[in-house]
Amino acid sequence: MTRGAEALPRMASGLAKNLNETATIAIDAVADIVTARQRGREMALRLGFSETESTLIATIISELSRNVVLYAQHGEIRLEASTKSGKRGLVIISHDEGPGIPDVQRAIVGGYSTSGGLGLGLCGVQRMVDELHIDTKIGRGTTITAKKWLS
Amino acid sequence: MDVPVLKQRDYLIASVQAVLTDRDLVVLRDRLVEQVGYYRSIGVILDVTGLDVMDSFSVRTLRDMAHMIRLRGADTVIVGIQPEVAFSMVQLGLSLEGVPTALDLEEGLAYFDNRPKRNHTRLR
């Protein structure tokens, strides 16, 4: 009885903590790509995403953070637990002050890459998330916001 | 993270047991391409069970590796792709393009021994 009464507020506060959880990972080298995607996977699992969805989220973070290393050398990945119309989800923001994306439309459509990569990164990411917003300025940098809601 | 490479008869077996960075993966590729000649192996089994994700970079590196090994006269079979990793690869449109795959190490050896216990798929 006492145990149950104790457990309830602890669970509630744990949930509230999950809903406000944020993390910022500095991306300066290839090893940081691994750190970012592992943090993202852990957070996705805590938010209630399945193993499969969490692996997909980790893969998306891997693509976004690799773009930072390849094109801008330095930047960051920010992960935010979020809610929208009662649905929980994860917001992934990749930010850099690199060269910017010259042709966003082509970068999303696929097959376009200036780094010698596969050119599938952004195209694949767009198909896999619920919302994708790309804010880029030539010579100023790029901020990509990807949102994935729990279904 | 160093990936252990085992020589088993005419084959090389490399088992990825932990998460690899892009650089680790490139080092592994170069090592296997070189060791195929050193050990005069005719086949390489790469067990990727330990890989947490397969993104565009890892898929391209593994595909390149298999093609390089082919140019050295040996074949590569990739084993141990986990269900959630396979799901992500398909969703993201990533393909190993003709690199043979098998369920696990045992099936990988069976693939080379030419007595497959199940139908092996080739990813396209």
Side-chain angles (χ1 to χ4, degrees):
Chain A
M1 183 68 195
T2 342
R3 259 190 161 175
E6 268 173 8
L8 201 66
R10 209 186 301 144
M11 267 174 66
S13 71
L15 191 64
K17 201 177 143 203
N18 278 353
L19 292 177
N20 294 322
E21 191 177 352
T22 61
T24 305
I25 301 107
I27 306 292
D28 300 306
V30 286
D32 300 323
I33 300 173
V34 174
T35 310
R37 73 186 185 214
Q38 284 180 334
R39 289 288 293 277
R41 177 201 296 273
E42 289 161 12
M43 220 162 135
L45 286 170
R46 272 199 298 275
L47 280 165
F49 284 101
S50 68
E51 279 284 344
T52 303
E53 290 171 313
S54 301
T55 299
L56 191 58
I57 286 168
T59 313
I60 288 165
I61 295 170
S62 204
E63 299 288 358
L64 292 177
S65 48
R66 179 169 302 100
N67 282 345
V68 170
V69 177
L70 283 181
Y71 293 100
Q73 285 79 51
H74 304 282
E76 62 178 37
I77 293 282
R78 191 168 161 79
L79 305 167
E80 294 177 1
S82 182
T83 48
K84 188 192 182 183
S85 24
K87 280 185 179 178
R88 272 189 285 166
L90 184 66
V91 178
I92 306 156
I93 303 156
S94 98
H95 174 76
D96 68 62
E97 284 163 14
I101 306 170
D103 192 337
V104 177
Q105 225 30 55
R106 273 178 75 197
I108 294 174
V109 168
Y112 168 68
S113 171
T114 53
S115 72
L118 265 183
L120 285 172
L122 273 185
C123 170
V125 168
Q126 178 177 35
R127 269 186 288 140
M128 283 314 96
V129 296
D130 298 310
E131 292 172 49
L132 184 74
H133 181 76
I134 302 174
D135 182 18
T136 184
K137 282 197 181 68
I138 298 299
R140 300 281 290 277
T142 303
T143 302
I144 299 176
T145 308
K147 300 182 184 182
K148 182 92 179 148
W149 306 112
L150 264 169
S151 43
Chain B
M1 175 68 207
D2 216 17
V3 176
V5 178
L6 234 97
K7 186 188 175 296
Q8 170 88 0
R9 290 179 291 163
D10 292 330
Y11 314 125
L12 289 182
I13 301 171
S15 298
V16 179
Q17 285 159 354
V19 171
L20 299 183
T21 67
D22 292 4
R23 195 168 297 121
D24 295 333
L25 210 56
V26 167
V27 167
L28 175 67
R29 178 196 70 194
D30 295 350
R31 234 175 97 209
L32 286 172
V33 171
E34 198 212 309
Q35 289 188 344
V36 138
Y38 184 81
Y39 292 111
R40 310 193 74 79
S41 308
I42 56 166
V44 174
I45 300 172
L46 180 63
D47 185 354
V48 296
T49 307
L51 277 191
D52 59 336
V53 303
M54 286 264 258
D55 58 13
S56 56
F57 183 85
S58 22
V59 167
R60 186 183 45 163
T61 308
L62 295 187
R63 214 169 51 201
D64 288 355
M65 183 195 81
H67 294 166
M68 289 170 189
I69 289 172
R70 183 80 281 263
L71 289 171
R72 304 265 288 147
D75 284 314
T76 302
V77 57
I78 292 173
V79 306
I81 295 179
Q82 295 304 296
E84 59 272 15
V85 172
F87 177 88
S88 296
M89 282 175 68
V90 171
Q91 294 290 306
L92 289 166
L94 301 172
S95 155
L96 280 168
E97 276 169 37
V99 179
T101 53
L103 183 67
D104 53 20
L105 210 53
E106 196 185 338
E107 295 288 340
L109 281 165
Y111 175 90
F112 281 132
D113 286 346
N114 251 338
R115 41 178 172 78
K117 291 170 189 162
R118 22 180 278 152
N119 292 326
H120 294 283
T121 52
R122 282 170 188 269
L123 283 177
R124 272 172 224 288

